[in-house]
Amino acid sequence: MGEMQDMVAKAADWTVPQDWDAYSAADHATWDALFARQAAMLRGRVVPEFLDGLDMLRMDRPGIPRFEALNERLMKATGWRVVAAPGLVPDEIFFDHLAHRRFVAGRFIRRPDQIDYLEEPDVFHDIFGHVPLLAHRVFADYMQAYGLGGLRAARLGAIDHLARLYWYTVEFGLIAGAGGLKLYGAGIVSSHAESLFALDDPSPNRIGFDLRRVMRTRYRINDFQQSYFVIDSFDDLLRQTQDADLGPLYAALEGEADIAPDALTPDDRLIHRGTQAHARRAASAED
């Protein structure tokens, strides 16, 4: 399936058919192995709304989900649907899909030897990682608001700043709960190793969410994060992003220096000061 993806003609909006019948038995077995491992270890670690979404969407059924079946349930819950794409799509196309409550998902699945790490998002990352929370009304509204904000950011030349918001919330966000910190970012919940690292390891900083701070902070794409940002609730995340006057904020950010992924600032609401031991070990290994 992965080798087929670039050969399929895409529509103007970069969508393609999922072509579910083209998945092999090995493809479905890879999904099942990934699903079983993550679903078992996430209980007690992931935000309850994620597990509610898994149950409501019946994603525990064997095999890679059919997008049509997911969409039937997802549309009834929040008006969202999943569309397939042959890989990463241009920013403005991606934002337009989100603004119209369409989530773009890769249709290929990783090989068995890539089960622990894959740089490009596949169907497991996109569907298992992202879609359950799209069944939650507030988070679904946040994703649409992000898409609408992305279209505005593109016109203002501020996509890089907005991309950091997506990275540190949708992909690698943590949330404060009555029982302590929980996972909700798709990049974490779809990764066995980072699901453990993000909550348990002393290495990363864990910092209270602040919109301006997040938009100034660079991130890592090829290793565990050096800092995670913690929201208080999905309602607060939606409120902060919807209520912000982003035009003046983008203009102000142009005159401010970026913040390194491991850095702390005097204004941070610090939940945990990381040792950065993992990053130092990784840097030493590269030397």
Side-chain angles (χ1 to χ4, degrees), residues 72-235:
E72 184 177 346
R73 293 183 280 274
L74 196 54
M75 284 287 291
K76 290 178 181 177
T78 59
W80 275 79
R81 62 190 178 94
V82 178
V83 295
L88 298 175
V89 303
D91 289 332
E92 292 194 51
I93 298 289
F94 176 71
F95 295 143
D96 186 71
H97 279 300
L98 294 184
H100 290 89
R101 298 178 92 87
R102 298 185 298 262
F103 185 76
V104 181
R107 65 188 195 127
F108 79 100
I109 185 126
R110 68 195 72 183
R111 301 188 310 267
D113 63 305
Q114 299 170 316
I115 197 164
D116 287 321
Y117 178 75
L118 185 69
E119 185 169 334
E120 183 180 4
D122 69 344
V123 69
F124 183 77
H125 168 85
D126 284 340
I127 299 302
F128 180 90
H130 284 281
V131 174
L133 280 180
L134 290 176
H136 182 261
R137 180 187 56 80
V138 177
F139 192 82
D141 288 348
Y142 170 69
M143 288 289 281
Q144 182 179 31
Y146 183 88
L148 292 167
L151 295 173
R152 293 192 295 271
R155 293 193 294 269
L156 296 170
I159 286 178
D160 287 348
H161 292 304
L162 196 70
R164 293 168 178 174
L165 175 63
Y166 192 90
W167 187 267
Y168 280 120
T169 60
V170 178
E171 291 290 357
F172 292 97
L174 302 180
I175 188 167
L181 301 184
K182 302 289 185 185
L183 313 171
Y184 77 91
I188 307 177
V189 302
S190 62
S191 165
H192 187 266
E194 194 141 8
S195 294
L196 298 171
F197 179 86
L199 288 186
D200 300 344
D201 201 285
S203 292
N205 301 316
R206 298 172 181 92
I207 305 166
F209 177 85
D210 175 83
L211 182 62
R212 189 188 195 108
R213 166 69 154 97
V214 167
M215 286 189 172
R216 291 181 60 195
T217 307
R218 300 194 307 272
Y219 54 81
R220 305 188 71 175
I221 62 171
N222 59 354
D223 203 345
F224 298 141
Q225 298 308 298
Q226 292 177 269
S227 295
Y228 296 94
F229 289 91
V230 181
I231 63 172
D232 293 325
S233 67
F234 293 134
D235 289 279

